Amino acid sequence: MARMKFLCDAERCIECQACVTACKNEHEVPWGVNRRRVIVMNDGRPGEKSVSVACMHCTDAPCAAVCPVDCFYTTADGIVLHDKDLCIGCGYCFYACPFGAPQYPQQTAFGVRGKMDKCTFCAGGPEEAHSRAELTKYGTNRVEEGKLPLCAEMCSTKALLAGDGDIVADIFRKRVMTRGGRPQTWGWQAAYGQDA
Amino acid sequence: MPIKSSVALASVLGMFLLSGCGAPDVTMYEPGVYKGKQDAAASEEAAAAREGPLRERAQTSFTDR
Protein backbone atom coordinates (compact mmCIF):
# COMPACT_ATOMS: atom_id res chain seq x y z
CA MET A 1 0.00 0.00 0.00
CA ALA A 2 1.25 3.44 -0.93
CA ARG A 3 2.02 5.96 1.83
CA MET A 4 1.47 9.54 0.73
CA LYS A 5 4.13 12.05 1.79
CA PHE A 6 5.41 15.53 1.02
CA LEU A 7 9.08 16.32 0.66
CA CYS A 8 10.55 19.75 0.00
CA ASP A 9 14.02 19.80 -1.51
CA ALA A 10 15.52 22.86 0.18
CA GLU A 11 18.35 22.97 -2.36
CA ARG A 12 15.84 23.59 -5.14
CA CYS A 13 13.21 25.80 -3.52
CA ILE A 14 13.56 29.35 -4.81
CA GLU A 15 10.89 30.87 -2.54
CA CYS A 16 8.70 31.84 -5.48
CA GLN A 17 5.52 31.21 -3.41
CA ALA A 18 3.85 29.61 -6.42
CA CYS A 19 2.85 26.58 -4.31
CA VAL A 20 1.11 28.90 -1.85
CA THR A 21 -0.71 30.71 -4.65
CA ALA A 22 -1.67 27.50 -6.43
CA CYS A 23 -3.12 26.03 -3.24
CA LYS A 24 -5.12 29.14 -2.41
CA ASN A 25 -6.44 29.39 -5.94
CA GLU A 26 -7.27 25.71 -6.38
CA HIS A 27 -9.16 25.36 -3.12
CA GLU A 28 -10.49 28.92 -2.89
CA VAL A 29 -8.94 29.27 0.54
CA PRO A 30 -10.21 32.43 2.29
CA TRP A 31 -8.07 35.39 3.29
CA GLY A 32 -6.07 34.79 6.44
CA VAL A 33 -5.82 31.04 5.94
CA ASN A 34 -2.65 29.59 4.45
CA ARG A 35 -2.68 25.86 4.02
CA ARG A 36 0.86 26.08 2.67
CA ARG A 37 3.61 28.61 3.37
CA VAL A 38 7.24 29.05 2.45
CA ILE A 39 9.61 29.34 5.40
CA VAL A 40 12.99 31.00 4.93
CA MET A 41 15.82 29.89 7.18
CA ASN A 42 18.93 32.05 7.71
CA ASP A 43 17.24 34.83 5.78
CA GLY A 44 19.81 37.19 4.21
CA ARG A 45 22.76 35.23 5.50
CA PRO A 46 25.07 32.72 3.82
CA GLY A 47 23.41 29.33 3.59
CA GLU A 48 19.89 30.73 3.27
CA LYS A 49 17.35 28.00 2.60
CA SER A 50 13.65 28.00 1.82
CA VAL A 51 11.23 25.22 2.60
CA SER A 52 7.59 24.93 1.60
CA VAL A 53 5.58 23.75 4.60
CA ALA A 54 2.04 22.43 4.99
CA CYS A 55 0.43 19.54 6.80
CA MET A 56 2.88 16.65 6.48
CA HIS A 57 0.19 14.01 7.05
CA CYS A 58 2.12 12.54 9.94
CA THR A 59 2.24 8.82 10.64
CA ASP A 60 1.11 9.22 14.24
CA ALA A 61 -0.62 12.56 13.82
CA PRO A 62 -0.38 14.66 17.01
CA CYS A 63 -3.38 16.75 15.90
CA ALA A 64 -5.56 13.63 15.95
CA ALA A 65 -4.17 12.60 19.32
CA VAL A 66 -5.21 15.84 21.05
CA CYS A 67 -8.53 16.49 19.29
CA PRO A 68 -11.25 16.51 21.97
CA VAL A 69 -14.01 15.70 19.48
CA ASP A 70 -12.05 13.09 17.48
CA CYS A 71 -12.70 14.70 14.12
CA PHE A 72 -9.48 13.43 12.48
CA TYR A 73 -9.08 10.28 10.44
CA THR A 74 -6.34 8.83 8.27
CA THR A 75 -6.98 7.27 4.89
CA ALA A 76 -5.50 3.88 4.04
CA ASP A 77 -2.73 5.58 2.10
CA GLY A 78 -1.80 7.87 5.00
CA ILE A 79 -3.59 11.14 4.25
CA VAL A 80 -4.74 12.87 7.45
CA LEU A 81 -8.15 14.48 7.00
CA HIS A 82 -10.79 15.91 9.33
CA ASP A 83 -14.54 16.43 9.54
CA LYS A 84 -15.34 20.14 9.73
CA ASP A 85 -18.87 19.43 10.93
CA LEU A 86 -17.41 18.05 14.16
CA CYS A 87 -14.60 20.57 14.66
CA ILE A 88 -15.24 23.05 17.48
CA GLY A 89 -12.28 25.30 16.69
CA CYS A 90 -10.61 24.73 20.06
CA GLY A 91 -7.10 25.13 18.62
CA TYR A 92 -5.55 22.14 20.38
CA CYS A 93 -4.39 20.71 17.05
CA PHE A 94 -2.62 23.97 16.25
CA TYR A 95 -0.60 23.74 19.47
CA ALA A 96 0.15 20.05 18.91
CA CYS A 97 1.23 20.32 15.28
CA PRO A 98 5.04 20.65 14.84
CA PHE A 99 4.51 22.32 11.45
CA GLY A 100 1.85 24.92 12.35
CA ALA A 101 -0.44 23.42 9.74
CA PRO A 102 -3.91 23.94 11.29
CA GLN A 103 -5.37 27.32 10.37
CA TYR A 104 -8.46 29.22 11.51
CA PRO A 105 -10.56 31.75 9.64
CA GLN A 106 -10.76 34.14 12.60
CA GLN A 107 -8.04 35.24 15.02
CA THR A 108 -10.28 35.34 18.06
CA ALA A 109 -10.94 33.45 21.26
CA PHE A 110 -11.85 29.85 21.86
CA GLY A 111 -15.10 28.82 20.22
CA VAL A 112 -15.40 31.73 17.82
CA ARG A 113 -12.34 31.31 15.63
CA GLY A 114 -14.19 29.03 13.23
CA LYS A 115 -13.57 25.55 11.90
CA MET A 116 -9.99 24.42 11.53
CA ASP A 117 -8.67 24.32 7.98
CA LYS A 118 -5.57 22.53 6.75
CA CYS A 119 -3.97 20.89 3.73
CA THR A 120 -5.96 17.90 2.53
CA PHE A 121 -3.29 16.57 0.14
CA CYS A 122 -5.89 17.65 -2.44
CA ALA A 123 -8.01 14.69 -1.30
CA GLY A 124 -11.13 16.57 -0.17
CA GLY A 125 -12.86 15.37 2.96
CA PRO A 126 -15.61 13.14 4.30
CA GLU A 127 -18.22 14.46 1.88
CA GLU A 128 -19.27 12.97 -1.42
CA ALA A 129 -16.41 13.31 -3.90
CA HIS A 130 -16.67 16.42 -6.10
CA SER A 131 -19.86 17.54 -4.35
CA ARG A 132 -20.62 21.17 -3.58
CA ALA A 133 -20.22 20.47 0.14
CA GLU A 134 -16.77 19.00 -0.34
CA LEU A 135 -15.64 21.89 -2.52
CA THR A 136 -16.92 24.49 -0.05
CA LYS A 137 -15.51 22.87 3.09
CA TYR A 138 -12.32 21.18 1.94
CA GLY A 139 -11.54 22.25 -1.61
CA THR A 140 -11.11 20.23 -4.76
CA ASN A 141 -10.46 16.49 -4.77
CA ARG A 142 -7.58 15.90 -7.17
CA VAL A 143 -6.49 12.58 -5.68
CA GLU A 144 -9.84 11.06 -6.64
CA GLU A 145 -9.09 12.06 -10.23
CA GLY A 146 -5.70 10.34 -10.14
CA LYS A 147 -3.81 13.61 -9.70
CA LEU A 148 -1.30 14.65 -7.05
CA PRO A 149 -1.44 17.86 -4.98
CA LEU A 150 -1.31 20.92 -7.22
CA CYS A 151 1.36 22.67 -5.14
CA ALA A 152 3.82 19.90 -5.98
CA GLU A 153 2.70 19.29 -9.54
CA MET A 154 3.18 22.90 -10.60
CA CYS A 155 6.43 23.54 -8.72
CA SER A 156 8.70 25.00 -11.39
CA THR A 157 11.96 23.68 -9.90
CA LYS A 158 10.38 20.40 -8.75
CA ALA A 159 11.52 21.21 -5.25
CA LEU A 160 8.24 20.11 -3.75
CA LEU A 161 7.55 16.42 -4.17
CA ALA A 162 4.34 14.63 -3.27
CA GLY A 163 3.10 11.10 -3.63
CA ASP A 164 4.00 7.64 -2.49
CA GLY A 165 6.84 7.92 0.02
CA ASP A 166 8.90 5.26 -1.78
CA ILE A 167 8.81 7.12 -5.09
CA VAL A 168 9.43 10.50 -3.46
CA ALA A 169 12.40 9.13 -1.51
CA ASP A 170 13.77 7.44 -4.62
CA ILE A 171 13.63 10.65 -6.68
CA PHE A 172 15.26 12.62 -3.87
CA ARG A 173 17.95 9.98 -3.35
CA LYS A 174 18.92 10.13 -7.03
CA ARG A 175 19.16 13.91 -6.85
CA VAL A 176 21.41 13.81 -3.81
CA MET A 177 23.65 11.20 -5.41
CA THR A 178 23.95 13.35 -8.54
CA ARG A 179 24.68 16.66 -6.87
CA GLY A 180 26.45 15.35 -3.77
CA GLY A 181 26.07 16.68 -0.25
CA ARG A 182 23.96 15.55 2.63
CA PRO A 183 20.33 14.57 2.19
CA GLN A 184 18.09 16.98 4.10
CA THR A 185 14.61 15.55 4.25
CA TRP A 186 13.26 18.52 6.17
CA GLY A 187 10.47 17.56 8.58
CA TRP A 188 10.46 13.86 7.78
CA GLN A 189 11.79 12.73 11.13
CA ALA A 190 9.16 14.78 12.98
CA ALA A 191 6.36 13.70 10.68
CA TYR A 192 7.11 10.08 9.95
CA GLY A 193 9.47 8.98 12.74
CA GLN A 194 10.62 5.41 12.14
CA ASP A 195 8.70 5.42 8.88
CA ALA A 196 10.97 8.19 7.53
CA MET B 1 -46.27 5.67 61.59
CA PRO B 2 -48.23 3.55 59.09
CA ILE B 3 -48.35 6.59 56.81
CA LYS B 4 -44.57 6.97 56.92
CA SER B 5 -43.93 3.34 56.04
CA SER B 6 -46.36 3.52 53.13
CA VAL B 7 -44.64 6.67 51.86
CA ALA B 8 -41.26 4.95 52.14
CA LEU B 9 -42.58 1.93 50.31
CA ALA B 10 -44.03 4.11 47.57
CA SER B 11 -40.73 5.98 47.25
CA VAL B 12 -38.74 2.77 46.93
CA LEU B 13 -41.21 1.41 44.43
CA GLY B 14 -41.13 4.67 42.47
CA MET B 15 -37.35 4.70 42.34
CA PHE B 16 -37.33 1.09 41.22
CA LEU B 17 -39.76 1.87 38.42
CA LEU B 18 -37.83 4.99 37.36
CA SER B 19 -34.59 3.04 37.17
CA GLY B 20 -36.13 1.12 34.30
CA CYS B 21 -36.69 4.31 32.30
CA GLY B 22 -34.26 5.68 29.74
CA ALA B 23 -32.78 4.46 26.49
CA PRO B 24 -31.20 1.02 26.69
CA ASP B 25 -28.74 1.80 23.87
CA VAL B 26 -26.54 4.29 25.73
CA THR B 27 -23.62 5.52 23.63
CA MET B 28 -20.39 5.28 25.56
CA TYR B 29 -17.63 7.72 24.61
CA GLU B 30 -14.72 5.97 22.94
CA PRO B 31 -11.61 8.19 23.11
CA GLY B 32 -9.42 8.39 20.05
CA VAL B 33 -11.99 6.91 17.70
CA TYR B 34 -13.09 9.02 14.75
CA LYS B 35 -16.63 10.32 15.31
CA GLY B 36 -17.34 12.01 11.97
CA LYS B 37 -18.91 10.97 8.71
CA GLN B 38 -17.44 7.94 6.99
CA ASP B 39 -15.33 8.70 3.95
CA ALA B 40 -15.53 6.05 1.25
CA ALA B 41 -12.23 7.29 -0.19
CA ALA B 42 -10.44 6.41 3.06
CA SER B 43 -10.90 2.68 2.62
CA GLU B 44 -8.15 0.29 1.58
CA GLU B 45 -10.02 -0.58 -1.60
CA ALA B 46 -10.21 3.07 -2.66
CA ALA B 47 -6.53 3.61 -1.81
CA ALA B 48 -5.54 0.51 -3.78
CA ALA B 49 -7.59 1.68 -6.76
CA ARG B 50 -5.83 5.07 -6.94
CA GLU B 51 -2.36 3.77 -6.09
CA GLY B 52 -1.44 2.91 -9.69
CA PRO B 53 -2.51 6.20 -11.32
CA LEU B 54 -0.89 8.26 -8.56
CA ARG B 55 2.35 6.30 -8.82
CA GLU B 56 2.42 6.84 -12.58
CA ARG B 57 1.61 10.52 -12.09
CA ALA B 58 4.51 10.95 -9.64
CA GLN B 59 6.94 9.21 -11.98
CA THR B 60 6.03 11.54 -14.84
CA SER B 61 5.62 14.74 -12.81
CA PHE B 62 8.71 14.84 -10.63
CA THR B 63 11.51 13.12 -12.47
CA ASP B 64 13.96 15.44 -14.21
CA ARG B 65 13.72 15.53 -17.96
Side-chain angles (χ1 to χ4, degrees):
Chain A
M1 181 65 67
R3 169 68 176 90
M4 297 301 160
K5 291 177 183 176
F6 276 121
L7 193 152
C8 186
D9 188 346
E11 294 292 327
R12 286 190 175 211
C13 182
I14 56 171
E15 200 198 336
C16 67
Q17 308 275 351
C19 49
V20 178
T21 309
C23 177
K24 285 189 81 77
N25 189 53
E26 177 75 1
H27 302 297
E28 297 179 19
V29 181
W31 280 103
V33 175
N34 283 314
R35 291 184 179 182
R36 179 167 286 284
R37 347 181 261 301
V38 177
I39 306 294
V40 182
M41 296 173 284
N42 296 323
D43 195 6
R45 288 180 292 189
E48 178 183 313
K49 293 268 168 53
S50 302
V51 180
S52 179
V53 184
C55 171
M56 293 288 277
H57 303 274
C58 300
T59 299
D60 190 11
C63 52
V66 300
C67 181
V69 293
D70 295 320
C71 72
F72 289 91
Y73 65 100
T74 306
T75 66
D77 47 2
I79 302 170
V80 179
L81 300 172
H82 72 298
D83 188 340
K84 281 194 177 182
D85 291 341
L86 278 185
C87 177
I88 56 172
C90 66
Y92 287 9
C93 51
F94 175 77
Y95 293 109
C97 178
F99 304 103
Q103 302 279 301
Y104 300 89
Q106 284 99 40
Q107 298 287 319
T108 45
F110 173 87
V112 285
R113 66 184 79 176
K115 309 282 185 184
M116 187 274 280
D117 191 272
K118 76 170 191 70
C119 162
T120 63
F121 207 85
C122 290
E127 298 286 349
E128 190 186 340
H130 310 302
S131 64
R132 189 75 210 163
E134 184 182 61
L135 180 67
T136 311
K137 291 179 194 170
Y138 309 102
T140 55
N141 192 338
R142 289 171 57 83
V143 167
E144 193 69 16
E145 298 171 340
K147 298 173 184 171
L148 288 165
L150 187 64
C151 53
E153 284 207 353
M154 52 67 57
C155 179
S156 58
T157 59
K158 295 174 187 171
L160 188 59
L161 305 171
D164 182 11
D166 291 343
I167 295 174
V168 164
D170 195 43
I171 293 168
F172 186 66
R173 193 180 303 115
K174 283 176 186 163
R175 285 183 187 177
V176 174
M177 284 170 69
T178 306
R179 72 182 177 220
R182 289 176 54 220
Q184 290 180 307
T185 51
W186 195 92
W188 268 38
Q189 191 61 42
Y192 312 126
Q194 298 289 331
D195 199 22
Chain B
M1 194 68 182
I3 296 167
K4 282 186 179 175
S5 62
S6 64
V7 168
L9 184 67
S11 303
V12 169
L13 195 64
M15 286 171 71
F16 177 75
L17 288 171
L18 282 173
S19 67
C21 299
D25 52 339
V26 175
T27 305
M28 298 299 288
Y29 178 76
E30 294 176 76
V33 179
Y34 174 58
K35 307 288 189 303
K37 288 190 286 289
Q38 290 306 309
D39 187 0
S43 66
E44 290 207 4
E45 295 78 34
R50 63 180 175 243
E51 185 177 354
L54 291 179
R55 189 179 290 265
E56 198 176 315
R57 187 94 173 177
Q59 296 281 16
T60 52
S61 298
F62 302 129
T63 46
D64 290 319
R65 288 182 284 271

